[in-house]
Amino acid sequence: MKVLVAVKRVVDYNVKISVKSDGSGVDIANVKMSMNPFDEIGVEEAVRLKEQGTVTEVIAVSCGTTQCQETLRTALAIGADRAILINTDVELQPLAVANLLNGLIKREQPGLIILGKQAIDDDCNQTGQMLAALADLPQATCASKVHLMDGAATVTREVDGGLETLKLTLPAVVTTDLRLNEPRYITLPNIMKAKKKPLEVITPADLGVDVRPRLTTLRVSEPAKRSAGIKVPDVATLVAKLRDEAKII
């Protein structure tokens, strides 16, 4: 059984981002980029399933510019067997990514599709759900445990009231949460092996998908800086300030 794992190249989570002077977006020039942490968990889970013998091939896929090949090589170093880059310079939105992945599902026919539940740059948390709808597949989001057996996936997910367990008929879409696993440390030998693994480059046109943006970003700005706190002598003063200055009561 094939497993298709989507990975995204994002600004590293340790980097403090800044907004461009013209307010058009986040400045990523000369900024360290890495694999989205939720996607890294997805790759790790797919590789573990292969090590258990329930999966035969792990395919990593990324959508974006040529630089995304670095992210795919990281996925190959973790243990993916091959990689596919859907190369485009267009700014991709969740629906476009879902359409691209859906086109790839039709071509590759995987038994399981794993995505991170969200990306740490846009925090959309939409692509997995959109993909499941487009491909007409069962889905389980925010997975904290995945078990495959007899053509079905049993997925445990954390909800407000505790744990919820779902059983999905494969093929299915699963999105990963932070507690699903802890990705392994990538060793130098595996990095060297990843350089020799196949990495295919295709375009959205090869999949017959239109990736033109549907939404327009008007302006990006940093949140207002928080003012310093103050001490008040009594409850009456506190209530007066909340009412007259903060205007929240």
Side-chain angles (χ1 to χ4, degrees):
M1 182 178 71
K2 295 180 183 177
V3 174
L4 190 70
V5 186
V7 297
K8 185 178 183 181
R9 181 174 182 262
V10 299
V11 177
D12 189 87
Y13 65 90
N14 288 312
V15 174
K16 183 178 180 180
I17 61 172
S18 59
V19 176
K20 293 180 180 178
S21 58
D22 61 359
S24 60
V26 174
D27 187 5
I28 60 173
N30 302 316
V31 169
K32 181 183 178 183
M33 308 291 283
S34 61
M35 185 189 300
N36 178 48
F38 291 99
D39 298 340
E40 189 175 5
I41 291 170
V43 177
E44 174 67 26
E45 189 65 21
V47 172
R48 291 188 184 189
L49 291 172
K50 183 183 176 184
E51 292 171 345
Q52 294 169 10
T54 55
V55 168
T56 57
E57 185 180 26
V58 177
I59 307 166
V61 57
S62 188
C63 309
T65 60
T66 304
Q67 287 83 354
C68 292
Q69 291 189 28
E70 300 173 9
T71 306
L72 288 171
R73 290 295 178 192
T74 301
L76 293 171
I78 294 174
D81 298 292
R82 59 187 174 96
I84 301 173
L85 171 62
I86 305 176
N87 191 14
T88 177
D89 293 327
V90 178
E91 181 184 352
L92 296 174
Q93 296 174 351
L95 182 58
V97 176
N99 276 309
L100 290 171
L101 294 177
N102 186 36
L104 206 56
I105 287 173
K106 294 176 182 177
R107 195 186 80 165
E108 295 289 340
Q109 296 295 308
L112 179 65
I113 304 94
I114 301 178
L115 304 87
K117 72 169 186 177
Q118 65 195 83
I120 62 172
D121 52 0
D122 55 22
D123 267 342
C124 283
N125 194 353
Q126 297 175 345
T127 307
Q129 293 89 326
M130 289 179 171
L131 176 59
L134 291 170
D136 194 23
L137 295 176
Q139 63 173 313
T141 59
C142 307
S144 60
K145 186 177 180 180
V146 177
H147 179 67
L148 302 183
M149 182 178 288
D150 300 329
T154 303
V155 180
T156 301
R157 54 194 305 268
E158 297 180 0
V159 296
D160 291 341
L163 298 178
E164 180 181 52
T165 301
L166 304 175
K167 188 172 183 179
L168 313 175
T169 303
L170 299 178
V173 176
V174 173
T175 68
T176 64
D177 208 343
L178 287 175
R179 278 178 281 275
L180 179 58
N181 61 55
E182 184 176 344
R184 67 194 66 189
Y185 176 78
I186 303 175
T187 62
L188 181 58
N190 286 338
I191 293 175
M192 301 306 294
K193 290 177 183 177
K195 295 180 179 180
K196 298 181 180 179
K197 291 183 179 180
L199 194 160
E200 180 185 2
V201 180
I202 60 177
T203 66
D206 295 330
L207 299 174
V209 176
D210 180 8
V211 295
R212 287 179 295 179
R214 306 289 185 93
L215 305 174
T216 301
T217 301
L218 300 180
R219 184 172 179 82
V220 177
S221 60
E222 295 185 8
K225 294 185 181 300
R226 296 180 61 180
S227 58
I230 60 171
K231 292 183 178 180
V232 294
D234 50 47
V235 174
T237 306
L238 173 62
V239 172
K241 287 185 174 295
L242 291 175
R243 182 183 62 245
D244 302 331
E245 297 180 14
K247 298 186 184 303
I248 59 174
I249 59 174

